[in-house]
Amino acid sequence: MSPADGTPVRVGVFGLLGSGNLGNDGSLEAVLGYLRAEHPEAVVDALCGGPEAVTARYRIPATRLHWYRGEYRTASRAGAVAAKGLGKLVDAFRTAAWVRRHDVVIVPGMGVLEATLPLRPWGFPYALFLLSASGRLFGTRVALVGVGAAAIRSRPTRALVRWSARLAAYRSYRDTLSRDAMRAMGVDTAHDEVHPDLAFALPAPPAVAPQGPPGPVCVGVMAFHGGNDDRARAEEIHRRYLDGTTRFVRALAREGRPVRLLTGDRVDAPVAGAILAAVDSPLVTAAETASLADLMREMAAADTVVATRYHNLVCALRVGTPTLALSYAAKSDALMARMGLGAYCHPAREVDADRLLAQFRELERGSAEVRRTLTERNLVTARHLGHQFTALTAALFPAAGPTHPHPHALREAP
């Protein structure tokens, strides 16, 4: 596990971590669990979006990803534009210096090779390119582990993503669609593997089987405005999504069903607030969740989950609760199909409350069979994730030798 001189391996983790997205942080948590279980001597730190949150939560040193603190705010004034431009130059040197101090850098999951949500090339794609290029320059092994990818129309973004992947020492993907997308972009994927999303490795609370009258429904909402190619229609898409979701929640409340609104990113809170105000029912409440573990606890206690964000879906499927996807990208459809629920997808761009209700009722009628299916699929998923962590050790820590399957992938929370 240690280099030839006996010093501990220096491992960095990289990404938009600690920035309010629960899925990103859950992927980090899964990788840290693997490192602590299989490579406890490793010295770990992070280059990330929210270093204070990462250090407080995961007890590792962390450095801010961008020198310019207004990186993800739109720059309109000349001073802000100049500061952002200077930040790009400074970040090239900062990233290189950070990478050089490590033996291995892991990018844990996340959709880092896709643009299914609005994305500018000089934002995270540029940061990821700096990481991979620095790794190649200094001989640091950069690993893109269980990442998501998708076709990208923007030529600058596509070029940065393609080179980020090409320069990485190790790549694995969370679905076949992602690997196919990178192959189509010109990346040699012959040795790249596909494994389930890293968040499936997190311990899950046992699901509570429904008893008696119909119980609570969890509805995961999102500040959804379409993808990178939908900027001209962003407000129209958001309004349609919000209106359809609100009508669906109102219909459930009128039937006497308790509804628990869930989010997956801090930007989703206004959507939950708008639905609460519009429905105005004591049966509809919003949960405060700070982690995927919090989401899983809420979902394990529900009869059914209807969710939009990808990692909301992962959490619901992980705890074995019947799930209906408000799908905004092919990755959600692929996830649902992999878990045996491909029939229960509804387009997030065109939420039709009546049709969504019909799908919801069909799902609840088959609830017992769905729960059995999810139990079986989760066992298969756990085995596949064990292979992912074994492959990661072989690729990045060859001196460690073979490892046992990562324990988080095989157990439930007490």
Side-chain angles (χ1 to χ4, degrees):
M1 156 76 207
S2 300
D5 63 3
T7 60
V9 170
R10 300 161 298 175
V11 180
V13 289
F14 177 95
L16 293 178
L17 309 164
S19 301
N21 184 286
L22 302 187
N24 292 358
D25 291 355
S27 299
L28 168 63
E29 187 175 342
V31 165
L32 291 178
Y34 151 73
L35 290 171
R36 287 164 177 164
E38 302 296 341
H39 307 286
E41 300 86 2
V43 177
V44 183
D45 72 311
L47 185 62
C48 60
E52 298 86 0
V54 167
T55 296
R57 181 167 205 130
Y58 302 109
R59 305 185 306 281
I60 60 173
T63 303
R64 185 173 298 280
L65 179 60
H66 300 292
W67 173 79
Y68 179 56
R69 288 177 177 263
E71 173 62 34
Y72 293 105
R73 293 195 298 266
T74 301
S76 54
R77 292 182 297 179
V81 172
K84 184 172 280 193
L86 176 62
K88 299 303 172 189
L89 179 62
V90 173
D91 284 346
F93 290 96
R94 291 176 70 252
T95 301
W98 181 81
V99 169
R100 191 175 187 177
R101 296 196 297 269
H102 296 82
D103 302 296
V104 173
V105 174
I106 296 175
V107 180
M110 306 178 285
V112 297
L113 303 177
E114 64 182 51
T116 52
L117 296 175
L119 183 71
R120 299 293 191 189
W122 53 84
F124 189 77
Y126 173 74
L128 186 65
F129 169 74
L130 291 180
L131 173 75
S132 293
S134 297
R136 182 61 64 94
L137 178 65
F138 296 116
T140 299
R141 288 161 286 176
V142 172
L144 310 180
V145 183
V147 297
I152 298 172
R153 292 178 60 182
S154 165
R155 294 178 69 178
T157 303
R158 187 169 65 246
L160 288 168
V161 163
R162 179 172 62 246
W163 278 105
S164 297
R166 282 178 173 174
L167 294 172
Y170 175 89
R171 296 179 298 268
S172 66
Y173 307 98
R174 63 188 179 191
D175 52 45
T176 303
L177 289 174
S178 296
R179 183 171 62 184
D180 291 347
M182 295 314 299
R183 183 184 299 122
M185 284 190 226
V187 176
D188 180 2
T189 62
H191 302 291
D192 298 354
E193 296 182 342
V194 174
H195 299 283
D197 189 88
L198 290 171
F200 277 105
L202 297 174
V208 179
Q211 296 179 351
V217 179
C218 284
V219 177
V221 300
M222 178 179 177
F224 178 61
H225 294 80
N228 219 38
D229 301 326
D230 298 317
R231 291 179 183 272
R233 301 174 50 237
E235 288 310 311
E236 173 193 344
I237 289 171
H238 179 67
R239 185 172 59 254
R240 184 177 298 177
Y241 168 80
L242 181 58
D243 289 349
T245 306
T246 300
R247 287 185 58 204
F248 173 71
V249 171
R250 183 181 290 118
L252 292 179
R254 285 174 175 167
E255 293 176 0
R257 298 294 294 271
V259 177
R260 195 79 160 140
L261 300 180
L262 305 176
T263 58
D265 192 297
R266 64 167 65 112
V267 301
D268 301 334
V271 178
I275 294 173
L276 284 172
V279 176
D280 191 22
S281 167
L283 290 172
V284 182
T285 57
E288 293 186 6
T289 52
S291 67
L292 294 192
D294 291 344
L295 281 177
M296 284 193 272
R297 278 191 289 270
E298 294 280 350
M299 293 170 168
D303 280 7
T304 309
V305 174
V306 179
T308 310
R309 279 199 180 272
Y310 182 82
H311 280 100
N312 279 23
L313 295 173
V314 169
C315 287
L317 298 167
R318 175 71 180 91
V319 300
T321 301
T323 305
L324 200 162
L326 286 174
S327 175
Y328 67 86
K331 63 183 179 182
S332 299
D333 298 337
L335 171 66
M336 294 292 284
R338 181 171 191 157
M339 298 301 287
L341 300 186
Y344 299 107
C345 295
H346 189 97
R349 282 175 174 77
E350 300 177 358
V351 178
D352 181 324
D354 293 333
R355 190 158 62 87
L356 183 59
L357 276 166
Q359 288 180 285
F360 172 81
R361 288 172 179 139
E362 179 186 348
L363 176 63
E364 290 216 313
R365 284 194 295 271
S367 174
E369 179 60 30
V370 167
R371 286 178 181 272
R372 285 191 290 271
T373 297
L374 289 176
T375 297
E376 296 167 0
R377 297 298 173 101
N378 272 304
L379 290 173
V380 174
T381 296
R383 288 197 295 271
H384 287 174
L385 273 173
H387 299 324
Q388 164 67 98
F389 292 120
T390 299
L392 193 58
T393 289
L396 301 184
F397 308 100
T403 68
H404 300 292
H406 178 47
H408 279 190
L410 304 174
R411 77 167 193 259
E412 291 191 337

